[in-house]
Amino acid sequence: MFNRPRWLPGPVSLKARFSLAVGMLIVLTATVLTVATVLIVQRGIETVVGERETSLIGQLARDLDNKFMIRQQALVRLAHDLEQRPHASAAFQDKLEQYHSMDGFFTNMSVLDAQGEHVANMDYPHMRGQGNFSTRDYFLDTIRSDGPIISRPLRSQLSGRPVVIMTAPIHDKNGQISHILIGAIDLAKNSFIKELSIGQVGKTGYFYILSREGEFVSHPDERRILQRSGDGGKRAASVEQALGGFEGTLRAKAENGAEALLSYKRLASTGWLLCGVYPTAEAFAFAGTIGWNAAIVAALLLLVMGPLAWLLIGRQLQPLKHLGRQMAAGRAAQAPGAPYADDEIGELRRAFDTLMAERDQAERAVADSERNLRMVADNVPALVGYVDKHERFVFGNERYSAYFGVSARQLSGKNVRDVVGEDIYKVSKPYLDAALSGRAVRFERQVRRHGVIQWDRVAYNPDIDAHGVVQGYFVLVDDITELKATQQVLAASEKRIRTIADNMPALIGYVDTEYRYAFCNRAYSTITEIAPEQIVGRTVSEVFGPKVFAAVAAQMAAALAGRRVSFERPAAELKGNRYLQTEYIPDIGHDGKVAGFYTMVMDITERKAAELALAAQQRLLHTVTDNLPALVNFMDREGRFGFVNRHHESWFGVPLARIHGSLVSSLFSEAEAEIHQRAFDEAITGRTVKFDFARMQGGDKRHYHATYIPQVDCAGHAVGVTGLVNDVTDAKRLEEQLSALARFDALTGLPNRTQLTERIGRAQTRSARNGNVMAVMYLDLDKFKSINDSFGHSGGDLVLIEFGRRLTACVRQSDTVGRLAGDEFVILLEGLQTVAECAVVARKIIKVMEKPFDIDGVARIVSTSIGVATAENGLAGVDTLLKHADDALYRAKDSGRNRYAMTSVK
């Protein structure tokens, strides 16, 4: 048939062409499929693994935040418990050791006082009193925020180990921080943070945590804890990006330089960065395996199919054609596609392509379904699984890894006992048997997981086939630890509320919108003679009768309209003319609707009688005190007016209604309030206080004498202060006049001998205290007798007055000029740095006196002689200084007058 040379003998038959085509098709198909498969699988794996890692890291972050929140709430509750029962610092050790139940939450617990001193330690009681923690950031942050905080990772001052500190303030009765409760979590020991570092992503991946500052909080390599990321080299760009705010999964180089899928999520509770590392070498290993397997298969097919095709195609062609027809005949319709050759190969292609298309479509549908199922199950916050009738897992979501340390891939085929452990298996076995018998069961179980007691809510639903045979059961497990804790707290709270309500001397209840009792305390039985449990569900009218209901119906309607109602009424239904006080408090929900109201009814008969008697007494008291010429009042412990008589209205210029109940200090000026407060604070301790003060009243300065008398109760405790204020202005003015006459010279107005002696004595004390120089100057007028003889005593008086005025002008305001008697004057100089300053003053005085004095129109030169005595350190007494100054004066006179002489007192 062909004349040119051929590498195959004989004509090129369909068998040869088919064999060659098969070989080429195998090579081409294998190559294309290998490349496409590797690329598609790799990209699909990257997308799926990235989404899974993002979901996983988010779930882990929520778990960590929940665990931080649980521990913080537990610490705050313990601190609140310690506040309710305050203790001295020394007693905190015994109290703290009663809470070893917190060992599952914290590695160690301790208590610091407000100065940072170590007063209690659960695990290291011998360390009390050793070390001060007032400079620690977590101590300062707690004091500053007055609330619980979570510290950055640090090295413990006690154990030297890496820890995270959680704190909660303990307040005293005044609301001030008295102590700080501390819970420490060791980052390198068994804890929920340590558990994260030993968890894995796949086989070689791992997790770690970075603080806000880039320090390792958790890491599989414990040596890296508290070290900064990037120490010894440049920090990875992905870590910088995550610290800057990025969250999610990206493909980049890990901290060891290897390429990996890196997932980041910031913890809401601490601001730390949770990081997951999944090496791409492991993540894409499956794609590489597929590529190599495809290449090997292609090579093997080529080696095997080539010779076999050549040898067997001739024999197999007819059967294959027949098979193709059968396959085509078995379909409902032909699949659309390109035209096929009208030969055996065409028929075979038609059948083969059709089957492959159907198979691919089925495989994609199965893969999509399985992937969607896995994605949904892995993102359910519960254990989801399927166990066959032989108690072996067929399916389980990734939650099993966090609960039991077995990943979803490892779970398949494992026995239930081996996965959950012997203790949990024993608890669950009866329900497991029930599920395998065909009954759906639900139960709760208490388990110890990761060293912590937890609660699970478990549901087993049997899988029954069409023949009624149980093939296995579905598993759904929820962690209800927090729900259980909340239920226990609510139960305890309800018990406390019931105990309190039953022991209150009042009727306490709850009425719904249909006026039916939903709750009532034991006190109802004393009035209605009906047990509380029999009252619940009955209407107010059924319990107390229509008349009582009619008497309070309007108030009840007001409460159901959302208004708080308080009223008193005479209880005609009770014996003995009783009075009742009733409070209706509406129960308003979040939607603003009233669901009912709380009611509290108290018997106030005795109080009502006392109020009437008290009102009569108060009227009498007001009548008496309003007619007294004085201010009469009562101030409670807070310093507020509880009683005032009518004179306060004109005294303060404010109506009595505004004065009553006001803080006393708010009605005074700042200076008056300070005087009042000092006296009030002393009187409230139990002592009677008397004091004087002055204030401007109607444009005049008035003087008052006040007496604060403490008022005590039957136990001897001060409950307030009674104030009596009398106007003593006239007496004060008379006293001031008498004092002025006794201490000032009547002619010159200068201090007299008495006041001079006092001032010199006080100056001596100050000089002894500060070591400064003081001086006394003794002066008299030269030949003053001749002035009296020439101008008479009136002229002499004019000279003395002018002489005193000039002396005053020559000295400082802090110095003192006084007249002893006759023409004798004394000057007191204080705070001198050197003795030479006295000479300057003396020369100044002599110079000033050179100006003639005007005596009844006659100019006259009047000179003076001065004696100066100086002393240091307050060593000289008053009399000694005056005597030495007098001696110096006589020396000045002896030396010719109109000069000064000085002496020093040692």
Side-chain angles (χ1 to χ4, degrees):
M1 296 177 61
F2 300 96
N3 296 322
R4 63 179 181 271
R6 300 178 179 86
W7 59 278
L8 289 175
V12 181
S13 64
L14 178 62
K15 178 177 69 174
R17 286 186 287 124
F18 190 77
S19 300
L20 183 60
V22 168
M24 294 177 64
L25 183 62
I26 291 173
V27 173
L28 180 61
T29 303
T31 302
V32 173
L33 287 178
T34 299
V35 174
T37 301
V38 170
L39 291 177
I40 294 172
V41 170
Q42 189 173 18
R43 180 168 297 181
I45 289 175
E46 182 175 351
T47 301
V48 172
V49 171
E51 292 175 352
R52 189 195 69 179
E53 291 303 301
T54 300
S55 174
L56 175 61
I57 205 79
Q59 181 62 42
L60 290 176
R62 289 191 293 274
D63 288 346
L64 287 174
D65 283 330
N66 287 337
K67 290 174 180 177
F68 271 116
M69 181 183 68
I70 291 171
R71 284 158 175 77
Q72 194 167 64
Q73 289 175 347
L75 201 65
V76 170
R77 285 197 296 268
L78 177 54
H80 182 67
D81 185 42
L82 295 175
E83 286 179 4
Q84 299 302 315
R85 293 172 285 180
H87 306 279
S89 292
F92 271 105
Q93 182 64 39
D94 293 338
K95 187 64 181 175
L96 193 61
E97 290 180 356
Q98 297 177 12
Y99 289 90
H100 276 288
S101 59
M102 302 285 282
D103 288 347
F105 283 171
F106 301 102
T107 309
N108 189 17
M109 297 180 67
S110 57
V111 178
L112 306 180
D113 63 16
Q115 289 73 42
E117 295 294 334
H118 196 194
V119 302
N121 191 293
M122 182 175 288
D123 292 344
Y124 305 103
H126 61 281
M127 299 296 289
R128 287 180 297 167
Q130 299 185 21
N132 186 283
F133 299 83
S134 60
T135 60
R136 284 288 196 170
D137 290 344
Y138 58 81
F139 179 89
L140 298 174
D141 290 343
T142 305
I143 294 294
R144 188 180 303 110
S145 65
D146 195 10
I149 63 100
I150 302 174
S151 77
R152 64 179 183 81
L154 51 87
R155 194 163 297 280
S156 172
Q157 191 170 321
L158 295 177
S159 65
R161 296 185 62 81
V163 297
V164 167
I165 300 298
M166 300 181 70
T167 71
I170 301 174
H171 299 86
D172 58 20
K173 62 181 180 180
N174 297 319
Q176 302 296 319
I177 296 178
S178 63
H179 293 80
I180 295 178
L181 180 61
I182 289 178
I185 301 174
D186 194 316
L187 299 177
K189 286 188 175 180
N190 290 335
S191 68
F192 67 97
I193 298 178
K194 173 65 176 177
E195 290 169 4
L196 177 73
S197 66
I198 63 177
Q200 287 186 319
V201 184
K203 296 181 180 179
T204 60
Y206 57 93
F207 298 99
Y208 65 91
I209 300 176
L210 287 177
S211 70
R212 295 175 184 265
E213 296 76 17
E215 294 179 328
F216 284 103
V217 180
S218 172
H219 197 279
D221 185 358
E222 294 183 3
R223 296 171 299 178
R224 304 202 65 182
I225 296 177
L226 296 188
Q227 292 184 0
R228 296 186 71 86
S229 174
D231 279 358
K234 185 178 179 181
R235 182 182 290 166
S238 60
V239 175
E240 292 287 358
Q241 184 179 356
L243 289 175
F246 170 77
E247 291 187 352
T249 301
L250 52 82
R251 184 174 177 178
K253 291 188 180 297
E255 56 182 342
N256 60 1
E259 189 177 66
L261 293 177
L262 305 176
S263 300
Y264 299 101
K265 180 67 177 178
R266 193 167 297 278
L267 300 183
S269 57
T270 62
W272 298 344
L273 196 65
L274 176 59
C275 315
V277 180
Y278 191 13
T280 55
E282 179 184 347
F284 301 147
F286 180 65
T289 301
I290 290 176
W292 280 107
N293 289 341
I296 293 171
V297 169
L300 291 176
L301 284 175
L302 181 60
L303 292 174
V304 173
M305 292 300 295
L308 286 178
W310 178 257
L311 297 174
L312 300 178
I313 277 180
R315 183 179 298 177
Q316 298 297 326
L317 189 58
Q318 290 301 323
L320 284 175
K321 183 177 180 180
H322 180 68
L323 177 61
R325 291 173 179 172
Q326 286 183 339
M327 292 174 61
R331 294 192 298 270
Q334 288 185 345
Y340 293 98
D342 190 16
D343 56 15
E344 297 88 349
I345 300 299
E347 292 298 327
L348 185 60
R349 280 188 57 200
R350 189 192 309 276
F352 180 77
D353 288 348
T354 301
L355 289 176
M356 288 298 293
E358 292 176 352
R359 188 195 70 178
D360 290 345
Q361 183 178 1
E363 288 180 349
R364 284 195 298 271
V366 171
D368 290 343
S369 176
E370 183 177 352
R371 183 168 57 253
N372 292 335
L373 174 62
R374 172 62 65 181
M375 186 177 299
V376 171
D378 286 345
N379 285 278
V380 172
L383 294 179
V384 178
Y386 180 84
V387 178
D388 64 18
K389 58 186 177 181
H390 302 297
E391 297 186 8
R392 294 188 180 277
F393 278 98
V394 176
F395 170 83
N397 63 352
E398 284 296 337
R399 193 84 174 170
Y400 275 88
S401 177
Y403 274 57
F404 301 109
V406 181
S407 68
R409 293 182 179 179
Q410 299 170 341
L411 193 65
S412 180
K414 287 187 175 292
N415 188 275
V416 173
R417 185 197 302 266
D418 297 335
V419 173
V420 303
E422 188 64 32
D423 293 338
I424 298 179
Y425 181 77
K426 288 182 178 179
V427 173
S428 308
K429 178 62 173 173
Y431 305 99
L432 186 153
D433 292 340
L436 290 177
S437 68
R439 289 187 292 111
V441 292
R442 286 172 174 78
F443 65 98
E444 295 178 359
R445 66 190 182 198
Q446 187 183 50
V447 299
R448 177 175 292 275
R449 185 179 295 121
H450 307 308
V452 179
I453 297 298
Q454 297 182 347
W455 281 89
D456 292 338
R457 178 186 288 135
V458 185
Y460 292 157
N461 293 307
D463 177 22
I464 304 174
D465 62 14
H467 303 288
V469 178
V470 177
Q471 300 298 323
Y473 61 91
F474 298 94
V475 180
L476 180 65
V477 180
D478 290 320
D479 185 343
I480 60 169
T481 304
E482 294 183 11
L483 175 62
K484 275 292 184 181
T486 302
Q487 289 176 344
Q488 293 172 358
V489 170
L490 290 175
S493 176
E494 183 177 354
K495 182 178 180 181
R496 284 194 297 271
I497 291 173
R498 168 62 70 178
T499 302
I500 293 171
D502 285 346
N503 288 278
M504 288 285 286
L507 303 180
I508 299 176
Y510 182 88
V511 178
D512 63 19
T513 54
E514 296 180 354
Y515 299 101
R516 294 185 182 276
Y517 280 101
F519 170 84
C520 66
N521 66 346
R522 290 290 173 189
Y524 273 81
S525 62
T526 61
I527 292 179
T528 64
E529 296 183 355
I530 303 174
E533 53 270 18
Q534 296 177 351
I535 294 177
V536 173
R538 300 171 70 176
T539 64
V540 177
S541 179
E542 292 172 347
V543 174
F544 289 101
K547 290 184 178 180
V548 175
F549 178 76
V552 297
Q555 289 83 355
M556 287 186 173
L560 290 176
R563 297 195 301 275
R564 179 167 181 164
V565 181
S566 178
F567 62 95
E568 298 176 3
R569 71 176 183 88
E573 69 274 13
L574 302 179
K575 298 178 181 178
N577 298 321
R578 312 300 291 177
Y579 260 85
L580 300 178
Q581 178 176 339
T582 304
E583 299 278 345
Y584 291 157
I585 304 170
D587 178 18
I588 303 176
H590 295 296
D591 56 358
K593 295 181 179 180
V594 178
F597 61 88
Y598 301 93
T599 173
M600 182 171 70
V601 182
M602 294 181 290
D603 187 340
I604 59 169
T605 305
E606 295 180 359
R607 192 193 78 186
K608 197 71 176 178
E611 286 177 354
L612 295 174
L614 180 60
Q617 292 178 357
Q618 287 183 339
R619 287 194 297 272
L620 176 61
L621 178 61
H622 275 287
T623 301
V624 173
T625 57
D626 286 347
N627 289 280
L628 290 176
L631 298 176
V632 182
N633 56 56
F634 172 77
M635 299 162 282
D636 62 19
R637 290 187 63 87
E638 295 180 358
R640 296 183 183 275
F641 278 127
F643 169 82
V644 289
N645 67 346
R646 180 63 60 182
H647 294 297
H648 286 74
E649 193 168 46
S650 59
W651 206 63
F652 286 119
V654 178
L656 282 181
R658 288 181 54 190
I659 297 174
H660 191 277
S662 298
L663 283 170
V664 181
S665 57
S666 68
L667 299 173
F668 282 121
S669 66
E670 184 176 351
E672 292 171 343
E674 183 178 356
I675 296 172
H676 152 76
Q677 193 63 44
R678 190 164 49 247
F680 179 84
D681 292 342
E682 184 177 355
I684 204 68
T685 63
R687 293 191 293 274
T688 298
V689 181
K690 297 181 180 182
F691 62 98
D692 296 325
F693 66 97
R695 76 191 306 263
M696 298 302 296
Q697 194 79 20
D700 294 331
K701 184 177 182 180
R702 309 293 297 177
H703 295 273
Y704 298 93
H705 177 74
T707 302
Y708 281 4
I709 305 169
Q711 299 297 306
V712 298
D713 57 16
C714 58
H717 301 134
V719 296
V721 174
T722 296
L724 303 174
V725 182
N726 293 286
D727 189 331
V728 294
T729 303
D730 295 338
K732 192 70 175 179
R733 288 174 179 172
L734 178 61
E735 180 183 347
E736 290 175 351
Q737 292 173 1
L738 293 174
S739 175
L741 292 174
R743 299 172 60 80
F744 290 90
D745 179 56
L747 177 63
T748 62
L750 298 173
N752 60 11
R753 178 184 294 274
T754 301
Q755 191 172 175
L756 275 170
T757 302
E758 293 175 356
R759 293 193 180 187
I760 294 172
R762 290 195 293 270
Q764 174 204 11
T765 302
R766 289 190 288 271
S767 177
R769 183 170 59 249
N770 54 38
N772 289 336
V773 178
M774 63 175 291
V776 173
M777 305 179 74
Y778 211 121
L779 307 92
D780 69 1
L781 280 70
D782 295 334
K783 299 179 181 180
F784 180 67
K785 186 175 182 302
S786 64
I787 295 175
N788 279 336
D789 292 342
S790 301
F791 299 97
H793 287 289
S794 61
D797 289 345
L798 292 174
V799 171
L800 291 174
I801 293 171
E802 176 63 16
F803 186 75
R805 187 190 65 76
R806 294 187 185 186
L807 290 180
T808 302
C810 290
V811 298
R812 303 166 299 180
Q813 290 185 349
S814 59
D815 298 327
T816 301
V817 178
R819 181 188 178 201
L820 291 182
D823 64 337
E824 295 178 344
F825 289 80
V826 171
I827 298 177
L828 168 63
L829 303 176
E830 285 192 75
L832 304 175
Q833 300 300 318
T834 63
V835 175
E837 295 180 46
C838 299
V840 173
V841 176
R843 288 194 294 271
K844 183 177 179 181
I845 292 172
I846 293 173
K847 182 69 176 177
V848 167
M849 298 306 169
E850 292 177 356
K851 180 180 178 182
F853 283 66
D854 185 357
I855 308 174
D856 292 334
V858 178
R860 177 78 175 264
I861 298 296
V862 179
S863 63
T864 181
S865 298
I866 307 172
V868 182
T870 62
E872 297 183 27
N873 301 322
L875 298 177
V878 177
D879 294 338
T880 302
L881 282 169
L882 289 172
K883 182 178 182 305
H884 280 71
D886 191 25
D887 292 343
L889 172 64
Y890 279 101
R891 288 202 305 273
K893 286 183 175 292
D894 292 342
S895 62
R897 302 180 189 275
N898 194 28
R899 60 191 62 203
Y900 67 91
M902 296 180 61
T903 182
S904 177
V905 181
K906 302 297 183 180

